[in-house]
């Protein structure tokens, strides 16, 4: 069956069928190959794209901007300092105005309802660049990276997400694994497992019934056995600095190190991370927290720089999968 995503919003992978996600992955591979060959498609020629950022970013902004330039689109960047949204103008009014100017809007911020309301009121394609509960473009890039480095079909792959299993990356991975029939294990402190949104669990378990996915939760290292990929994220996100002492105490036993990789029993295990990562003390935040007595590294430098790490392949793939999303929904 032919796949046509033109005019669709990209708010969460839960809105897409496994076949549609597969289409986006294959399109990503094609666009990546063409970029490396120097082939210009100009598939978004004449399109105007708005990047609306309430939360800062390196990879998301650069990926959207380069993807737009590669395909001939024009970009306008708005952040919280250069937009009146939510201050002097309601979200609905802002969405209606932007929808008159632009062909597509990317939003990166906090509340999932914001990106949903932008889609509701703008009348143009809206893409989710990250919210507090989801990060769908990241998962597409991660799935592409897995296919490049693991010699198994996705439905045979076991993903173990380590650390704060209640965060947006953990939820986004649950959605991705559920849709693609994969095995997902949330590995972290029982206290955090108990804090996972029951609605999220219910949704992914419902999807898993027809895709054959396995969604599991575990606080013991035995769940690492047989993993194909270990994934983690920072322990305290932007605006959560006051929670660092508690998070460090709770999550230090779940820091990804070589012993954790060895516990998988898989010599071909790969490590992935959405970035940015605290893996050394070369950042001002990690260094300042160390002076206060807190080691906020969620992964060791040894693992991060090892042959098992695929974090920079993963980062590059943000560009190709984001480009695929825009081309599929707008071209």
């Amino acid at each position: 069956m032919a796949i046509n995503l033109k005019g669709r919003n990209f708010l969460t992978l839960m809105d897409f069928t496994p076949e549609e996600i597969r289409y986006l992955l294959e399109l990503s591979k094609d666009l990546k190959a063409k970029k490396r060959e120097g082939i210009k498609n100009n598939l978004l020629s004449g399109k105007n794209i708005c990047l609306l950022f309430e939360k800062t970013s390196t990879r998301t902004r650069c990926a959207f901007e380069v993807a737009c330039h590669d395909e001939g689109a024009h970009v306008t960047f708005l952040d919280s300092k250069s937009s009146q949204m939510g201050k002097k103008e309601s979200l609905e009014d802002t969405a209606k105005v932007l929808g008159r100017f632009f062909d597509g809007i990317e939003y990166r911020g906090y509340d999932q309802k914001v990106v949903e309301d932008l889609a509701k009121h703008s009348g143009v394609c809206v893409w989710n660049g990250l919210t507090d509960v989801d990060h769908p473009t990241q998962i597409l890039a991660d799935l592409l990276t897995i296919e490049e480095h693991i010699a198994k079909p996705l439905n045979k792959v076991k993903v173990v997400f380590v650390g704060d299993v209640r965060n947006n990356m953990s939820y986004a991975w649950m959605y991705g694994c559920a849709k693609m029939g994969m095995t997902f294990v949330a590995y972290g402190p029982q206290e955090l497992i108990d804090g996972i949104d029951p609605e999220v669990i219910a949704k992914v378990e419902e999807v898993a019934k027809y895709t054959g996915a396995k969604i599991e939760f575990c606080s013991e290292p035995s769940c690492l056995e047989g993993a194909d990929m270990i994934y983690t994220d920072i322990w305290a996100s932007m605006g959560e600095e006051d929670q660092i002492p508690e998070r460090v105490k709770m999550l230090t036993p779940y820091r990804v190190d070589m012993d954790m990789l060895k516990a998988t029993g898989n010599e071909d295990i790969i490590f992935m991370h959405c970035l940015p990562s605290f893996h050394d003390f070369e950042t001002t935040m990690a260094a300042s927290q160390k002076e206060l007595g807190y080691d906020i590294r969620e992964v060791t430098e040894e693992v991060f720089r090892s042959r098992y790490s695929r974090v920079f392949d993963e980062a590059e793939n943000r560009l190709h999968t984001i480009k695929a999303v825009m081309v599929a929904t707008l071209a």
Side-chain angles (χ1 to χ4, degrees):
M1 182 177 69
I3 301 293
N4 184 354
L5 302 181
K6 189 165 185 177
R8 294 273 296 275
N9 297 307
F10 189 79
L11 309 183
T12 175
L13 288 181
M14 294 296 279
D15 291 339
F16 293 81
T17 67
E19 293 77 17
E20 289 170 338
I21 296 171
R22 169 52 56 197
Y23 170 78
L24 289 171
L25 289 172
E26 295 305 317
L27 180 58
S28 301
K29 294 174 187 177
D30 180 59
L31 293 171
K32 181 175 183 176
K34 287 179 177 175
K35 181 174 177 65
R36 291 191 168 184
E37 293 167 7
I39 299 173
K40 296 268 186 188
N41 294 302
N42 288 319
L43 295 172
L44 298 175
S45 179
K47 303 296 185 182
N48 291 291
I49 309 299
C50 178
L51 306 183
L52 189 56
F53 278 59
E54 290 190 311
K55 193 171 186 179
T56 58
S57 167
T58 300
R59 279 147 297 278
T60 302
R61 178 178 177 179
C62 292
F64 268 100
E65 289 197 358
V66 173
C68 286
H69 292 311
D70 279 355
E71 298 300 335
H74 303 284
V75 181
T76 298
F77 176 81
L78 296 176
D79 61 14
S80 57
K81 295 179 181 178
S82 55
S83 167
Q84 299 293 351
M85 187 177 79
K87 294 178 292 204
K88 291 184 178 180
E89 186 170 55
S90 70
L91 172 60
E92 179 177 347
D93 291 354
T94 298
K96 288 179 176 178
V97 170
L98 295 179
R100 300 281 182 112
F101 293 161
F102 296 97
D103 300 290
I105 301 168
E106 180 272 349
Y107 171 80
R108 178 183 173 93
Y110 299 93
D111 194 344
Q112 180 76 11
K113 189 174 186 303
V114 173
V115 75
E116 292 172 354
D117 284 347
L118 283 170
K120 178 180 178 181
H121 297 297
S122 67
V124 298
C125 291
V126 173
W127 310 295
N128 183 355
L130 175 140
T131 65
D132 284 342
V133 296
D134 210 343
H135 200 358
T137 61
Q138 179 67 56
I139 298 301
L140 269 187
D142 295 343
L143 293 174
L144 178 59
T145 307
I146 286 175
E147 293 203 323
E148 291 174 340
H149 293 286
I150 296 177
K152 292 181 179 181
L154 289 179
N155 63 3
K156 301 297 182 182
V157 171
K158 178 179 178 178
V159 173
V160 178
F161 184 94
V162 183
D164 185 357
V165 295
R166 310 162 307 165
N167 76 7
N168 56 355
M169 279 309 308
S170 178
Y171 287 2
W173 260 115
M174 288 187 212
Y175 300 149
C177 286
K179 285 289 183 174
M180 302 311 287
M182 302 166 71
T183 296
F184 172 86
V185 180
Y187 173 46
Q190 189 62 46
E191 179 181 345
L192 296 184
I193 291 173
D194 292 340
I196 295 174
D197 186 344
E199 291 188 11
V200 171
I201 295 175
K203 286 193 293 185
V204 297
E205 288 183 342
E206 184 63 29
V207 172
K209 289 178 182 178
Y210 69 82
T211 64
K214 296 178 182 178
I215 309 297
E216 302 172 355
F217 309 92
C218 181
S219 59
E220 300 299 326
S222 57
C223 69
L224 294 166
E225 185 175 357
D228 295 291
M229 189 264 280
I230 299 291
Y231 203 103
T232 195
D233 195 4
I234 58 175
W235 293 343
S237 297
M238 187 184 303
E240 296 181 334
E241 289 79 7
D242 60 320
Q243 299 179 36
I244 286 176
E246 177 189 355
R247 295 286 179 86
V248 168
K249 181 179 179 181
M250 184 183 300
L251 291 170
T252 293
Y254 298 90
R255 178 177 292 128
V256 179
D257 58 17
M258 281 298 187
D259 287 338
M260 184 178 290
L261 298 191
K262 290 175 183 176
T264 67
N266 181 1
E267 293 184 358
D268 296 319
I269 186 72
I270 66 173
F271 168 74
M272 291 170 59
H273 192 302
C274 55
L275 302 182
S277 166
F278 294 118
H279 54 90
D280 56 24
F281 300 102
E282 298 302 314
T283 61
T284 55
M285 186 170 177
S288 63
Q289 290 297 323
K290 184 181 180 182
E291 290 180 1
L292 295 173
Y294 303 114
D295 183 348
I296 64 173
R297 295 175 304 152
E298 70 278 359
V299 58
T300 64
E301 174 77 350
E302 183 181 19
V303 169
F304 191 85
R305 301 293 182 191
S306 73
R307 69 178 182 87
Y308 305 106
S309 179
R310 296 289 179 263
V311 296
F312 297 111
D313 295 333
E314 182 185 1
E316 179 196 342
N317 282 337
R318 292 294 307 286
L319 165 62
H320 308 300
T321 50
I322 282 171
K323 185 187 294 186
V325 167
M326 290 195 293
V327 166
T329 57
L330 198 56

